[in-house]
């Protein structure tokens, strides 16, 4: 079956531009996660949805970052007024149920470069 | 707070050698879940294994094996008879049952290079 997909795979933005990153989770997966991965580092948690409800956004680094999942399926991570420090790979993951033992399956990521 | 430490930043081996990737974790939770993921150059994190804290049996899957030792808070990963296709960054991750929400806490990763 289809895995998690993300688009675009690569995005180059000028500093100050707004960007929108899309995530299509595995069909039927209740939980959806966004992570940020800086070069040479492990992924770091940004935010978590259970269906359409954003249950945890404590990892969002600033109010320029905004995520939504209005119909409980596709999610969009938006970054306003991008800064150079926003350059990273943004990974989306989904899991089938709510329980914390459930495995998170990751997409290929969107590599964002802010010039 | 949760923490995962992968002390080995880079490892280089020759094909057919065995290699062990170390992972040490910290958590106050008594129940937690540990994971290993592989990240090839394509960038996608590929799930390898999940281990529950209450199950200390070691596991073997083909050339892969995992050694979970609760007493030393370690969850090490061994690849037997390594192959060039094993070259990737490997991440260990922790997900406590009660605290830190539903997030995974990752280590810094170990870059494994298997040379022919």
């Amino acid at each position: 079956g289809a895995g998690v997909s993300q688009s675009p795979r690569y995005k180059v933005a000028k500093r100050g531009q707004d960007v929108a990153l899309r995530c299509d989770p595995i069909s039927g997966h209740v939980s959806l996660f966004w992570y940020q991965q800086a070069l040479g580092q492990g992924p770091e948690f940004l935010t978590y949805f259970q269906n359409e409800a954003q249950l945890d956004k404590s990892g969002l680094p600033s109010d320029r970052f905004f995520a939504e999942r209005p119909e409980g399926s596709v999610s969009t991570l938006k970054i306003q007024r991008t800064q150079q420090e926003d350059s990273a790979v943004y990974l989306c993951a989904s899991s089938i149920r709510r329980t914390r033992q459930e495995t998170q399956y990751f997409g290929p990521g969107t590599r964002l470069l802010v010039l | 707070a949760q923490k995962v430490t992968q002390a080995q930043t880079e490892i280089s081996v020759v094909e057919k050698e065995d290699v062990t990737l170390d992972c040490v974790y910290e958590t106050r939770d008594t129940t937690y879940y540990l994971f290993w993921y592989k990240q090839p150059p394509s960038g996608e994190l590929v799930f390898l294994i999940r281990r529950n804290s209450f199950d200390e049996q070691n596991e073997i899957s083909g050339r892969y094996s995992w050694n979970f030792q609760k007493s030393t808070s370690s969850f090490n990963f061994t690849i037997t008879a390594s192959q060039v296709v094993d070259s990737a960054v490997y991440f260990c991750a922790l997900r406590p049952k009660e605290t830190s929400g539903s997030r995974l806490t990752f280590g810094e990763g170990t870059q494994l290079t298997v040379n022919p």
Side-chain angles (χ1 to χ4, degrees), chain A residues 25-47:
Chain A
I26 295 172
S27 178
H29 277 199
V30 168
S31 299
L32 185 145
F33 304 81
W34 284 98
Y35 291 84
Q36 180 189 59
Q37 186 176 20
L39 189 63
Q41 305 292 316
E44 293 197 356
F45 172 81
L46 293 176
T47 188

Side-chain angles (χ1 to χ4, degrees), chain A residues 4 9 33 35 37 40-43 45 48 56 58-59 91 95 98-108, chain B residues 33 35 37 39 41-45 47 50 52 91 95-104 106-109:
Chain A
V4 178
R9 291 294 313 278
F33 304 81
Y35 291 84
Q37 186 176 20
Q41 305 292 316
F45 172 81
Y48 160 57
D56 186 353
S58 62
L91 294 165
S95 65
R98 307 171 187 178
T99 58
R100 292 179 184 178
Q101 67 178 310
E102 286 299 326
T103 297
Q104 295 180 25
Y105 295 93
F106 284 79
Chain B
Y33 308 98
F35 301 80
Y37 286 87
Q39 189 173 44
S42 61
E44 184 169 344
L45 280 165
F47 166 72
R50 181 185 74 222
N52 303 331
F91 290 97
R95 190 176 186 187
K97 182 179 181 183
E98 300 299 336
T99 59
S100 296
S102 298
R103 67 185 67 186
L104 284 169
F106 285 86
E108 299 283 292

Side-chain angles (χ1 to χ4, degrees), chain B:
Chain B
Q2 329 299 323
K3 186 177 180 181
V4 176
T5 301
Q6 295 179 253
Q8 305 148 308
T9 305
E10 296 182 24
I11 300 177
S12 182
V13 299
V14 177
E15 207 170 18
K16 298 185 182 177
E17 282 186 20
D18 298 347
V19 58
T20 295
L21 310 181
D22 297 334
C23 172
V24 174
Y25 61 91
E26 296 175 30
T27 179
R28 292 180 181 176
D29 282 52
T30 55
T31 301
Y32 48 88
Y33 308 98
L34 295 163
F35 301 80
W36 276 94
Y37 286 87
K38 174 182 180 180
Q39 189 173 44
S42 61
E44 184 169 344
L45 280 165
V46 178
F47 166 72
L48 295 178
I49 190 172
R50 181 185 74 222
R51 169 63 69 217
N52 303 331
S53 58
F54 46 84
D55 180 3
E56 291 195 61
Q57 279 194 336
N58 292 324
E59 185 158 339
I60 298 175
S61 176
R63 297 184 297 107
Y64 295 169
S65 62
W66 291 268
N67 182 7
F68 175 38
Q69 294 204 352
K70 208 167 181 177
S71 60
T72 56
S73 297
S74 65
F75 185 42
N76 297 337
F77 172 32
T78 297
I79 302 175
T80 303
S82 59
Q83 300 177 0
V84 172
V85 293
D86 295 328
S87 297
V89 181
Y90 290 85
F91 290 97
C92 180
L94 166 69
R95 190 176 186 187
K97 182 179 181 183
E98 300 299 336
T99 59
S100 296
S102 298
R103 67 185 67 186
L104 284 169
T105 297
F106 285 86
E108 299 283 292
T110 297
Q111 170 74 61
L112 173 64
T113 302
V114 182
N115 299 297

